[in-house]
Amino acid sequence: MNNPTVSVVVPVYNEEEVINESYRRLTEVMEGSGETYELIFVNDGSRDKTLELALKICENDKRVRLIDFARNFGHQLAITAGMDNSRGDAVVVIDADLQDPPEVIPEMLAKWREGYEIVYGKRLKREGESAFKKLTAKVFYRFLDKMTDVDIPVDTGDFRLIDRKVCDALKNVPEHNRYVRGIVSWLGYKSTPVEFERHKRFAGTTKYPLKKMIRFASDAIMSFSYKPLKLASVLGCLTCAASIIILIFYAIFRLLNPATVLAIVGIFAAGLVLLCLGIVGEYIARMCDEVRARPLYLIRGKINFDE
Ligand code: UDP
Ligand code: MG
């Protein structure tokens, strides 16, 4: 069989309520597009019936391929594995929960045919998500934009189409704590947005609890900015200045007793030192991951990959 024109990569983690509908909608859209395609599900260590359902889909439809991870490696590595194993001239990454409407894919393909190498989905609106999620996402994208010199489009997730060239270039970036959408922006290439409204999840609940969200945000910031490290020195200067001011204030007005002043300044300074150590530690931990150079992900099995 020749390579398909389009590969559609779908990470799935505990998506038993969603995967069949996801397959149905994606198949409808891809058949309608008239392109040859492959659908790659990446099972990211699901503990529910996702794998079983995916195997059944693969049995009935040889255009569907499955990569089964040895454990949960996380969303970013799941899409990385899908891209690494894709064969299409264009690769589309889309979430399984149908929050990103598959119907936008033909628009992305049209832009790709015009010559764009990256077509990213820009979220105009987000429906059916908590106020907390919407607010943190909005603040996060803008904060990251201020922190980094790489031009990473705001309000843009991993729902995007990339050309084969970009996909191959991505393979040469073996970073561990990956913020894939940032790395794609860092690569450069000719890109354009396609706007869409993000719907609510088809079923099930988010697989991004607060802990994963924080990890994801800190990976993004630390992969693309050294500003937090600079913050350490700025905070150091500010604390010194503040201590001097407090002491002068005390000398002039004799408001507090000296022991209290010293204790407050001391505790404050100790807190800042620990904070700065923590920031440095976060970078060092990430460096350790790179130095250890463990594989990014481990695959237990692959289905429908050999012709
Ligand atoms: N996902 C994954 N591994 C994880 C968490 C999520 O493969 O550890 C997948 C999930 O199945 C979905 C996509 O990544 O297809 C986005 O996750 P989700 O919709 O839960 O995130 P949200 O849209 O709530 O940010
Ligand atoms: Mg979702």
Side-chain angles (χ1 to χ4, degrees):
M1 195 176 109
N2 293 329
N3 285 346
T5 307
V6 187
S7 301
V8 182
V9 171
V10 192
V12 281
Y13 175 55
N14 294 347
E15 300 286 12
E16 63 182 7
E17 291 160 288
V18 159
I19 189 167
N20 281 329
E21 180 64 10
S22 187
Y23 163 68
R24 192 190 67 74
R25 284 266 296 277
L26 283 165
T27 305
E28 202 175 276
V29 167
M30 291 317 294
E31 281 180 349
S33 75
E35 306 281 1
T36 56
Y37 71 94
E38 63 178 353
L39 204 62
I40 304 177
F41 282 114
V42 185
N43 177 36
D44 186 14
S46 299
R47 292 161 194 271
D48 63 358
K49 292 209 182 76
T50 301
L51 176 64
E52 231 174 288
L53 295 171
L55 286 170
K56 218 171 268 164
I57 297 172
C58 286
E59 215 176 282
N60 296 324
D61 186 346
K62 298 297 168 202
R63 295 168 300 187
V64 183
R65 313 193 204 285
L66 172 68
I67 296 169
D68 186 27
F69 272 1
R71 64 168 167 85
N72 178 247
F73 280 91
H75 175 217
Q76 297 293 296
L77 291 175
I79 60 181
T80 302
M83 290 181 194
D84 289 349
N85 287 277
S86 67
R87 281 172 285 194
D89 300 325
V91 182
V92 176
V93 175
I94 186 166
D95 286 355
D97 59 3
L98 301 170
Q99 281 197 279
D100 310 326
E103 291 69 26
V104 176
I105 297 175
E107 269 179 72
M108 291 181 163
L109 286 166
K111 292 274 182 199
W112 174 61
R113 294 270 181 222
E114 279 173 34
Y116 290 102
E117 291 149 327
I118 300 171
V119 188
Y120 57 88
K122 190 168 164 60
R123 302 160 179 170
L124 284 184
K125 241 168 72 184
R126 303 172 73 121
E127 286 170 18
E129 285 176 306
S130 67
F132 177 73
K133 177 102 178 185
K134 283 189 213 170
L135 178 74
T136 46
K138 199 167 176 157
V139 171
F140 163 69
Y141 286 119
R142 276 144 196 89
F143 180 65
L144 181 64
D145 193 46
K146 292 265 175 296
M147 296 290 277
T148 173
D149 299 330
V150 180
D151 202 5
I152 307 173
V154 295
D155 299 330
T156 298
D158 289 309
F159 179 33
R160 61 182 63 215
L161 177 152
I162 60 173
D163 185 81
R164 168 61 34 207
K165 282 194 282 269
V166 181
C167 190
D168 289 341
L170 212 53
K171 288 183 194 163
N172 294 321
V173 187
E175 246 161 71
H176 281 74
N177 301 291
R178 299 168 85 75
Y179 183 59
V180 175
R181 57 197 85 162
I183 301 174
V184 173
S185 301
W186 176 85
L187 293 173
Y189 292 93
K190 216 172 134 195
S191 71
T192 189
V194 162
E195 292 176 339
F196 74 101
E197 286 186 10
R198 194 160 210 242
H199 299 307
K200 72 178 208 288
R201 234 179 193 279
F202 172 71
T205 51
T206 177
K207 304 303 173 299
Y208 259 100
L210 186 61
K211 198 172 143 199
K212 273 190 184 169
M213 271 167 65
I214 292 172
R215 174 79 209 186
F216 179 71
S218 48
D219 279 344
I221 292 165
M222 301 208 173
S223 301
F224 287 95
S225 175
Y226 291 120
K227 281 190 184 155
L229 286 175
K230 291 186 186 135
L231 181 75
S233 9
V234 172
L235 284 178
C237 295
L238 286 179
T239 336
C240 293
S243 311
I244 294 168
I245 291 168
I246 291 169
L247 287 175
I248 293 174
F249 194 74
Y250 157 73
I252 297 172
F253 296 103
R254 298 192 172 272
L255 287 176
L256 299 166
N257 74 51
T260 316
V261 174
L262 282 178
I264 293 171
V265 172
I267 291 168
F268 184 65
L272 279 188
V273 170
L274 285 178
L275 172 73
C276 297
L277 261 182
I279 295 173
V280 175
E282 289 284 328
Y283 279 91
I284 293 178
R286 284 166 174 78
M287 274 168 64
C288 285
D289 283 337
E290 302 306 331
V291 172
R292 283 193 203 110
R294 290 179 186 156
L296 292 184
Y297 50 81
L298 292 170
I299 295 176
R300 181 188 293 125
K302 283 196 200 177
I303 309 289
N304 284 352
F305 274 88
D306 4 78
E307 257 87 55

